[in-house]
Amino acid sequence: MTIRVVVADDQELVRSGFAMILDAQEDVEVVAEAGDGAAAVAAVRELRPDVALLDIRMPLLDGIEACRAISAGSSCRTVMLTTFDSDEYVYEALHAGASGFLLKDVRRDDLVHAVRVVAAGESLLAPSVARRLIEEYTAATARPAAAGALPAQRLEVLTPRERETLLHLGRGLSNAEIAAALVVSEHTVKSHVGHVLAKLGLRDRIQAVICAYETGLIAAGSGAGTGAGTEAWTGARTGARTGARTGAGSGVSPSGE
């Protein structure tokens, strides 16, 4: 199946470069390019692509607001692209519905891999920003006065086993590690993860991690990185670490099913 992609960036050379790389793949088709966020939203609504690559800083409508509009109005999944290694942007992008975050110095192969990962329904982050996202920005929203904090009552829809699964997701465990902790099969874990996402209205595992912190299920700073690897929640696919690296030393990694 061909992955249909919209590429949005206000810098023409960057935009056309990404489009050329992706269009050269047999399984990817760039259906539109956009120079601002408003044009990107319009292209997604008209063409209904599978993935949208959105620059953070664009005129008329920035990438965060474009992502929010796209996530609310379509099934298109978004990957945010920026030159800035900023935790704040990551946090805002994920809350807007983004499925991933990459720095613009991403290597050619990693860019293509990222599009395929997101199109398959998985999630990704550059590990250089993932850990600080967990420790700093979820800590901020966990404070009582913080806007956007989620009440613990939201978790009442979960069964005890699903709640335990969310706890392990928040601590960074892969499916294989959760299966070992719960003494069940990975197939059962996948079922639990699916139920957690559906009941809480979450798009992917990354948002599940944020939810675990924002509802107070995990205290910020106490659970991140307690799995087999400190980047497990961004990098595990059935327990394996992919180790893909970008040109600046940041990696892109699928979230695991």
Side-chain angles (χ1 to χ4, degrees):
M1 182 182 69
T2 300
I3 302 170
R4 292 162 50 82
V5 179
V6 167
V7 179
D9 194 299
D10 60 336
Q11 298 180 50
E12 183 178 0
L13 289 179
V14 173
R15 182 175 72 245
S16 60
F18 283 143
M20 181 177 64
I21 291 170
L22 293 172
D23 230 8
Q25 310 304 310
E26 292 184 358
D27 60 337
V28 179
E29 177 188 4
V30 175
V31 296
E33 297 181 32
D36 59 72
V41 173
V44 169
R45 288 174 177 169
E46 178 184 357
L47 301 171
R48 306 184 67 82
D50 303 298
V51 177
L53 297 182
L54 303 176
D55 184 23
I56 292 284
R57 297 190 175 188
M58 292 188 291
L60 299 184
L61 193 67
D62 66 33
I64 301 294
E65 292 305 316
C67 175
R68 185 172 287 113
I70 289 170
S71 298
S74 73
S75 60
C76 177
R77 295 171 65 83
T78 56
V79 176
M80 310 306 296
L81 291 161
T82 184
T83 57
F84 302 96
D85 188 356
S86 166
D87 298 330
E88 180 180 3
Y89 289 134
V90 178
Y91 186 73
E92 292 181 4
L94 294 178
H95 271 272
S99 296
F101 186 98
L102 293 176
L103 301 183
K104 283 188 178 180
D105 59 6
V106 63
R107 294 187 308 185
R108 176 192 303 258
D109 290 346
D110 290 340
L111 174 65
V112 174
H113 172 71
V115 168
R116 290 170 177 156
V117 164
V118 169
E122 299 176 5
S123 309
L124 59 90
L125 282 178
S128 63
V129 296
R131 184 173 178 82
R132 292 194 303 278
L133 164 69
I134 289 294
E135 293 181 345
E136 297 178 18
Y137 282 84
T138 53
T141 59
R143 299 186 186 113
L150 301 175
Q153 289 80 0
R154 183 183 182 187
L155 303 184
E156 291 178 356
V157 298
L158 303 179
T159 66
R161 184 47 61 95
E162 290 165 355
R163 188 183 180 97
E164 193 173 3
T165 299
L166 177 60
L167 176 67
H168 289 311
L169 285 174
R171 287 176 171 166
L173 273 63
S174 67
N175 282 355
E177 292 163 340
I178 296 174
L182 300 182
V183 195
V184 297
S185 69
E186 288 189 49
H187 177 78
T188 299
V189 170
K190 289 181 180 180
S191 178
H192 288 328
V193 171
H195 291 158
V196 168
L197 298 183
K199 288 184 177 182
L200 297 179
L202 305 172
R203 289 172 64 92
D204 48 46
R205 293 170 68 106
I206 291 177
Q207 291 197 340
V209 173
I210 294 175
C211 178
Y213 280 82
E214 290 185 336
T215 55
L217 185 62
I218 296 178
S222 67
T226 58
T230 59
E231 294 167 3
W233 70 277
T234 61
R237 186 199 298 257
T238 61
R241 309 290 182 259
T242 61
R245 311 303 295 176
T246 66
S250 302
V252 295
S253 307
S255 66
E257 298 176 346

